[in-house]
Each structure stands twice: as structure tokens, then as C-alpha cells.
Amino acid sequence: MKKYFGCFVIITVLSLNGVAQHNSASKPAASTKSVVASVPVTPLDLAKATLAAHGGDKLKKMRSLIMKGSADLSFNGQSLPGAFSTAISGEKYYFEIVTAIQQLKQTFDGQYTFSSIPGITLPPVTSLGFPLLPKVGETGYIVAALPDGSKKRKGFRITTQEGFYTDFYINEKTGQIKTYESKWTDASNRAITTSVEIDEFVTVEGIVVPKRYAQRFDLGPITAYANFKTNDVKVNSTIEDAAFAIPK
């Protein structure tokens, strides 16, 4: 149970339409035909617009983020209520889930990674999902179109320097992230997929972050689910290095 349950440690866990019509009583002096050129929107253009919808420069310049709340987990017919907390400061982070069964934690101190579940290789929390959005426009983070099978959906893909990628799907009305999906292969050559559906955002100091979201986690024959609700968000708070210390 610890093996599958520990996979949740990586969860951390983003259009303006105007129509104007007018009628004129006067007859124009000459018949004219207006042609509006269609300007192609590149994946990078869309990514920048999405970044702006979540706070733009405020999100890019964010020094730290702390999020805490409830986490209801379910897999193999079992349902487990719990709580989560996560903190990100630059590339350092920790993510923790506490349930009646056990306490799960993954920490990165800027150089080394610690996981309370041994034997599981997990990507850095900052290399997947929402934490990638502030990286738009930075060297080493490639923004590209979605795969061909996703053409009917509006979005883009961000790939990290290590080769981890996340596909972001955008809400047409708000310009914010509606869904994102990530896939990678672990040390045992297993294909692992996770997808997040965001139901609600909260704005803190001009930065728009997920408040309520559901996550599906596929690990071979195991499919697990989690519902997160953020109750406390702090932006740009001072986080002591001790918070990211690796247990000895």
C-alpha cells in the first residue's frame, strides 16, 4: 500500500471575446468591404496569455508559495481523508500528505531529494504542472503545440530541460488553465500519467492559483484519485531553509 500511496507525493500540487454591432441611419458615400487579417496564434503566444491570466509578472517574480488544505484520496475501493501542505521557494520545495494511515513527504533542498517512500523515483514537483507556468519564456523551457490528437482543444505543451513535459488545456472563456496532463517513465520503465482538472481558483496578491482541483493518477494497473481543496495560501512569505532540510 505504501508503494502506491506514495505516488501522491508528487501532486502539487493557468479569451477575451468581443462582438460589436451597430446600425447607421446614414448611407455611406461608397460601398466598402472590410477585411480583417487573421493573425496566427503561436503556442508561445497562448502560453504568455495564459501566464498573464494567472498574474503575469507577479507570478514570474513570485519568491515563494505556501498552500495548505484537505486531500481526499481513493484507490482500490478505499477512501482516505487527509490533509496536504506544500511550499515552494525557488527550486526548493516540500510536499506532504497526512492521513490516518501514514505521513508522506517529499523534500528537495536545492541539491538533494528525500522521499518518505523508499524505492520510488519521482520527478521534481517544480518540473510538472502549475509550477511550470512561471517558466514560460525562460531558456531551457520549450513551449510547443499540443500533440496532434489534441487539436480540438486549446492549449500548449511545456517541456523542461530534463525532458519532463506537461500539456496545458485552456478555458476558452477565462483564458486560465482548465486541465493539465503529465506523463513520464520511472526508474522501473513504467509509464506514469497524471491529470488535473481545476474547478476553482483563488487570487492572492494578484496571483491566481488553484483552489479546488481533482487529480487522476495512473500507475500501470493502479488508478488512484484525489480531491484537493486549498484553505490557506501565502505568497512571498519568508521560508526558512530548515523547512527544506533533508532528514538525517
Side-chain angles (χ1 to χ4, degrees), residues 117-197:
I117 306 299
I120 296 180
T121 302
L122 303 173
V125 169
T126 51
S127 295
L128 299 171
F130 189 85
L132 277 181
L133 191 60
K135 305 296 185 180
V136 169
E138 294 187 12
T139 302
Y141 294 87
I142 301 172
V143 178
L146 293 171
D148 290 342
S150 306
K151 284 184 177 180
K152 293 184 179 180
R153 304 177 68 180
K154 183 178 181 181
F156 53 90
R157 169 177 289 187
I158 300 179
T159 303
T160 70
Q161 302 173 65
E162 298 82 11
F164 300 117
Y165 69 84
T166 298
D167 292 337
F168 294 91
Y169 299 92
I170 309 307
N171 185 313
E172 296 274 359
K173 294 182 180 180
T174 65
Q176 297 171 339
I177 294 172
K178 177 59 179 174
T179 304
Y180 60 81
E181 300 176 352
S182 302
K183 185 176 182 179
W184 68 94
T185 302
D186 70 1
S188 300
N189 204 33
R190 292 174 298 184
I192 302 174
T193 303
T194 184
S195 61
V196 173
E197 186 84 13

Side-chain angles (χ1 to χ4, degrees), residues 92-104:
K92 299 178 182 179
Y93 67 82
Y94 74 75
F95 185 79
E96 185 175 42
I97 294 179
V98 178
T99 72
I101 293 179
Q102 67 180 135
Q103 179 178 351
L104 306 170

Side-chain angles (χ1 to χ4, degrees):
M1 179 178 291
K2 290 184 178 180
K3 179 178 180 181
Y4 296 127
F5 206 76
C7 295
F8 285 105
V9 180
I10 68 161
I11 305 172
T12 178
V13 106
L14 52 161
S15 69
L16 299 176
N17 295 316
V19 179
Q21 295 181 339
H22 68 276
N23 293 318
S24 176
S26 60
K27 184 178 180 180
S31 176
T32 60
K33 183 178 181 180
S34 177
V35 177
V36 179
S38 177
V39 179
V41 177
T42 67
L44 182 57
D45 291 335
L46 180 57
K48 289 180 177 179
T50 304
L51 173 63
H54 284 272
D57 285 342
K58 291 182 179 180
L59 181 57
K60 287 188 73 68
K61 295 177 181 179
M62 181 178 66
R63 300 186 306 276
S64 67
L65 175 66
I66 300 174
M67 301 175 71
K68 299 179 180 180
S70 62
D72 295 323
L73 317 178
S74 61
F75 66 102
N76 282 355
Q78 302 181 38
S79 181
L80 295 170
F84 82 94
S85 62
T86 184
I88 299 175
S89 179
E91 294 303 317
K92 299 178 182 179
Y93 67 82
Y94 74 75
F95 185 79
E96 185 175 42
I97 294 179
V98 178
T99 72
I101 293 179
Q102 67 180 135
Q103 179 178 351
L104 306 170
K105 187 172 184 178
Q106 177 165 310
T107 304
F108 178 63
D109 66 359
Q111 186 175 5
Y112 300 104
T113 301
F114 164 81
S115 175
S116 62
I117 306 299
I120 296 180
T121 302
L122 303 173
V125 169
T126 51
S127 295
L128 299 171
F130 189 85
L132 277 181
L133 191 60
K135 305 296 185 180
V136 169
E138 294 187 12
T139 302
Y141 294 87
I142 301 172
V143 178
L146 293 171
D148 290 342
S150 306
K151 284 184 177 180
K152 293 184 179 180
R153 304 177 68 180
K154 183 178 181 181
F156 53 90
R157 169 177 289 187
I158 300 179
T159 303
T160 70
Q161 302 173 65
E162 298 82 11
F164 300 117
Y165 69 84
T166 298
D167 292 337
F168 294 91
Y169 299 92
I170 309 307
N171 185 313
E172 296 274 359
K173 294 182 180 180
T174 65
Q176 297 171 339
I177 294 172
K178 177 59 179 174
T179 304
Y180 60 81
E181 300 176 352
S182 302
K183 185 176 182 179
W184 68 94
T185 302
D186 70 1
S188 300
N189 204 33
R190 292 174 298 184
I192 302 174
T193 303
T194 184
S195 61
V196 173
E197 186 84 13
I198 302 174
D199 296 317
E200 184 180 353
F201 289 97
V202 61
T203 302
V204 180
E205 296 188 20
I207 297 174
V208 184
V209 297
K211 180 178 181 180
R212 289 195 305 114
Y213 51 100
Q215 183 152 10
R216 187 183 76 242
F217 195 85
D218 296 319
L219 175 62
I222 300 296
T223 300
Y225 302 88
N227 289 302
F228 294 89
K229 183 178 180 180
T230 304
N231 300 320
D232 184 24
V233 180
K234 292 182 173 64
V235 172
N236 294 330
S237 298
T238 300
I239 306 176
E240 300 295 334
D241 287 342
F244 308 105
I246 300 296
K248 296 182 179 178

